[in-house]
């Protein structure tokens, strides 16, 4: 298969940015961003997290991880026109938010899985 036919196959998975599911996902993003704005600065102070906070932390990380992949499959508007091709949607995401998103996701997973070891405090400060 040629590159264009592979791209064409992925085009059918692009979501219209105006559908209700995309809107609901965007609302969840806003809620979780507010949660992160509170939780992330507090994480530097090493307060004891309960099981509820840990569960929310993991659920939030899973959400943001899924969101990275989702961003490759949600159309957008450019100059008044809806863009619904995988190649254009992916190119735009890679040029804009992908670097920041993937950096934060990798950092969060490293902290959760304790890959940072003795350097966790520094990584938490970097996350803020």
């Amino acid at each position: 298969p040629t590159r264009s036919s592979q791209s064409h196959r992925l085009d059918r998975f692009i979501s219209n940015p105006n559908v209700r599911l995309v809107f609901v996902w965007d609302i969840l993003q806003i809620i979780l961003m507010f949660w992160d704005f509170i939780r992330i600065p507090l994480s530097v102070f090493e307060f004891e997290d309960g099981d509820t906070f840990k569960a929310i932390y993991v659920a939030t990380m899973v959400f943001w991880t899924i969101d990275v992949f989702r961003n490759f499959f949600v159309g957008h508007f450019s100059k008044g026109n809806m863009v619904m091709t995988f190649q254009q949607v992916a190119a735009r995401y890679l040029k804009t938010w992908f670097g920041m998103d993937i950096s934060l996701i990798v950092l969060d997973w490293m902290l959760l899985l304790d890959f940072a070891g003795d350097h966790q405090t520094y990584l938490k400060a970097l996350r803020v």
Side-chain angles (χ1 to χ4, degrees):
T2 65
R3 174 174 224 138
S4 62
S5 67
Q6 287 175 345
S7 179
H8 179 69
R9 281 187 221 148
L10 292 174
D11 287 351
R12 66 184 169 166
F13 297 110
I14 302 295
S15 295
N16 182 320
N18 293 324
V19 298
R20 181 173 291 180
L21 183 60
V22 172
F23 176 74
V24 170
W25 188 270
D26 290 343
I27 295 298
L28 283 172
Q29 284 180 319
I30 292 167
I31 292 167
L32 291 177
M33 276 191 270
F34 281 120
W35 170 256
D36 281 345
F37 288 148
I38 294 166
R39 180 195 56 85
I40 291 169
L42 291 177
S43 70
V44 175
F45 298 107
E46 303 276 337
F47 72 95
E48 189 65 33
D49 288 339
D51 289 339
T52 303
F53 283 109
K54 288 179 184 175
I56 293 170
Y57 179 59
V58 171
T60 302
M61 287 179 41
V62 168
F63 177 89
W64 291 125
T65 302
I66 292 168
D67 189 60
V68 169
F69 294 101
R70 175 195 159 272
N71 283 320
F72 284 101
F73 295 98
V74 176
H76 62 271
F77 289 93
S78 177
K79 299 177 183 174
N81 298 314
M82 190 181 310
V83 177
M84 296 288 290
T85 63
F86 177 77
Q87 186 175 7
Q88 291 175 314
V89 170
R92 178 177 182 244
Y93 181 50
L94 288 169
K95 289 177 187 173
T96 56
W97 289 102
F98 178 76
M100 175 71 81
D101 288 349
I102 200 71
S103 299
L104 293 173
I105 293 298
V106 168
L107 181 61
D108 269 350
W109 281 106
M110 286 175 59
L111 289 169
L112 178 72
L113 300 174
D114 201 24
F115 285 134
D118 294 336
H119 303 290
Q120 276 210 4
T121 303
Y122 301 115
L123 290 179
K124 286 179 183 178
L126 179 63
R127 176 73 169 97
V128 173

